[in-house]
């Protein structure tokens, strides 16, 4: 690990100002992803701004009838909150399917959204990776590469990594918004679709945050009625990232919403595919995964996604 300087801040706006003015600065919250990346020298921040004391650790009702989740609320506290369990069960289920109990105690809402990909070549500094070193090439697309965990849709010639967050998939199906503060003190609200960027030819740019901008909260709209389900398929029963995950909210009349994890660089959802839910899993997936470009090793994800949704729909 390289040497770095460190400061604690108590105010989110002050954090954003400091992050914009100090070269090489990064926020640190729970540290469960950033410290790993620093130890591997994949991320080498010169300065850490500890935001854990900014007081953003409440879940409060909004004027619109939803909830505002502070960026420092832990994944454990969020999944256990009675309002989340009752009215936003898809979110609670997604959270408890992630990481381990110890990690969820430490991991925060903001940090979970901003965790980096788990592409094995991103973690291997001996291999080329456009996300780690722009222009270096992509080892996952090289001859003999292992790509079974990687993306099938929304990917590019430069990068086929997936976003690893389970929480974000549930937030996408709930139409949540990310609230931020910029270094000039403005507050912004972004949908998950606006927040996450597709790789194109700049896979190192993963989100719409400006220099210094800090996530302050996630805003949930009023509860969406219906059956909430989250199913994650993985190599082990726990402590593993999704090969494919499905977040589903289905109303009694058969209409609903579907988002996928483990298949794309962002939680994957299309309104046109939602509209096909009454016609069943095949119709939804044909539209949701239209345009997919799998590798020979991960084409199984297309079938797996459809079968996972079919299994969830059969559980009435
Ligand atoms: C062994 C292991 C297994 C895991 N399994 C899963 C899993 O199955 N599913 C899953 O979803 N996750 C999993 N995770 C990931 C875990 O959920 C994340 O590491 C965690 O959520 C990150 O939160 P944090 O607060 O520790 O973030 P940090 O490590 O502190 O920060 C992560 C990134 O977010 C940035 N950041 C943090 N807070 C803010 C903010 N408020 N505004 C702007 N930027 C910010 C930091 O600068 C950094 O770039 C796993 C992690 C480990 C180590
Ligand atoms: S898929 Fe993306 S993260 Fe993985 S090696 Fe290629 S460029 Fe890097």
């Amino acid at each position: 690990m390289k040497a770095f300087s460190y400061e604690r801040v108590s105010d989110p706006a002050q954090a954003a100002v400091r992050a914009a003015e100090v070269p090489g600065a990064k926020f640190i919250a729970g540290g469960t992803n950033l410290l790993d990346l620093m130890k591997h020298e994949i991320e080498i921040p010169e300065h850490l701004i500890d935001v854990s004391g900014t007081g953003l650790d409440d879940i409060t009702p909004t004027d619109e009838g939803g909830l505002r989740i502070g960026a420092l609320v832990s994944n454990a506290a969020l999944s256990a909150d009675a309002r989340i369990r009752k009215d936003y069960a898809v979110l609670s289920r997604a959270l408890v399917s992630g990481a381990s109990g110890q990690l969820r105690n430490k991991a925060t809402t903001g940090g979970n959204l901003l965790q980096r990909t788990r592409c094995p070549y991103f973690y291997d500094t001996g291999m080329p990776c456009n996300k780690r070193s722009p222009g270096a090439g992509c080892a996952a697309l090289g001859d003999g590469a292992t790509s079974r965990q990687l993306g099938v849709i929304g990917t590019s010639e430069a990068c086929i990594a997936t976003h690893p967050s389970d929480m974000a998939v549930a937030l996408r199906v709930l139409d949540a918004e990310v609230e931020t503060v910029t270094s000039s003190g403005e507050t912004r609200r972004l949908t998950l679709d606006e927040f996450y960027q597709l790789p194109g030819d700049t896979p190192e740019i993963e989100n719409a945050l400006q220099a210094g901008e800090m996530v302050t909260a996630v805003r949930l709209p009023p509860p969406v009625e219906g059956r909430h389900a989250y199913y994650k398929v993985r190599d082990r029963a726990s402590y593993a990232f999704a090969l494919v995950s499905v977040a589903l909210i289905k109303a009694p009349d058969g209409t609903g919403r579907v988002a996928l994890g483990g298949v794309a660089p962002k939680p994957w959802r299309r309104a046109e595919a939602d509209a096909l839910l009454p016609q069943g899993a095949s119709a939804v997936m044909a539209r949701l995964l239209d345009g997919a470009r799998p590798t020979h090793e991960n084409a199984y994800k297309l079938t797996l996604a459809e079968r996972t949704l079919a299994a969830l729909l059969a559980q009435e």
Side-chain angles (χ1 to χ4, degrees), residues 117-124 126-132 136-152 155-162 293-298:
T117 184
R118 294 287 164 159
C119 170
Y121 302 106
F122 176 73
Y123 270 81
D124 183 346
M127 301 297 277
C129 171
N130 287 321
K131 194 182 274 299
R132 193 168 14 81
C138 171
L141 289 169
D143 286 344
T146 297
S147 55
R148 65 179 287 278
Q149 293 164 283
L150 299 177
V152 296
T155 54
S156 72
E157 299 294 330
C159 180
I160 60 166
T162 58
R293 295 187 319 162
T295 67
H296 71 285
E297 279 201 349
N298 67 15

Side-chain angles (χ1 to χ4, degrees), residues 26-34 36 71 75 98-99 103 107-108 110-112 114-115 118 164-166 214-215 232 239-241:
K26 268 199 98 77
F27 301 119
I28 184 163
T32 60
N33 188 220
L34 184 56
D36 274 356
N75 288 176
L103 281 159
T108 64
N112 190 294
L114 286 151
Q115 62 177 297
R118 294 287 164 159
S165 169
D166 290 294
M214 179 182 161
V215 173
K232 174 173 173 179
Y239 214 40
F241 289 90

Side-chain angles (χ1 to χ4, degrees), residues 37 42 74 79 89 93 109 123-124 128 148 165 171 173 197 227 271-272 274 286 293:
L37 294 168
I42 295 162
S74 73
S79 65
R93 289 185 181 136
T109 300
Y123 270 81
D124 183 346
R148 65 179 287 278
S165 169
L171 293 178
V173 90
Q197 312 261 297
R227 185 166 66 91
E272 321 88 82
D274 284 354
R293 295 187 319 162

Side-chain angles (χ1 to χ4, degrees), residues 25-37 43 48-49 51 54 56 71-75 94-95 97-100 103-104 106-116 118 123 163-168 179-180 195 207 209 212-217 230 232 234 236 238-242:
K26 268 199 98 77
F27 301 119
I28 184 163
T32 60
N33 188 220
L34 184 56
L35 285 178
D36 274 356
L37 294 168
E43 299 226 30
L48 288 186
I49 301 171
V51 294
T54 48
L56 299 169
L72 272 299
V73 173
S74 73
N75 288 176
L95 283 160
S97 78
S100 65
L103 281 159
R104 293 195 295 270
K106 201 75 188 139
T108 64
T109 300
N112 190 294
L113 289 174
L114 286 151
Q115 62 177 297
R116 309 293 307 274
R118 294 287 164 159
Y123 270 81
H163 194 274
S165 169
D166 290 294
M167 182 188 80
E179 183 191 289
T180 68
F195 183 73
N207 57 63
L209 292 180
E213 190 168 7
M214 179 182 161
V215 173
T216 47
Y230 188 80
K232 174 173 173 179
R234 45 190 155 174
R236 291 188 304 269
S238 72
Y239 214 40
F241 289 90

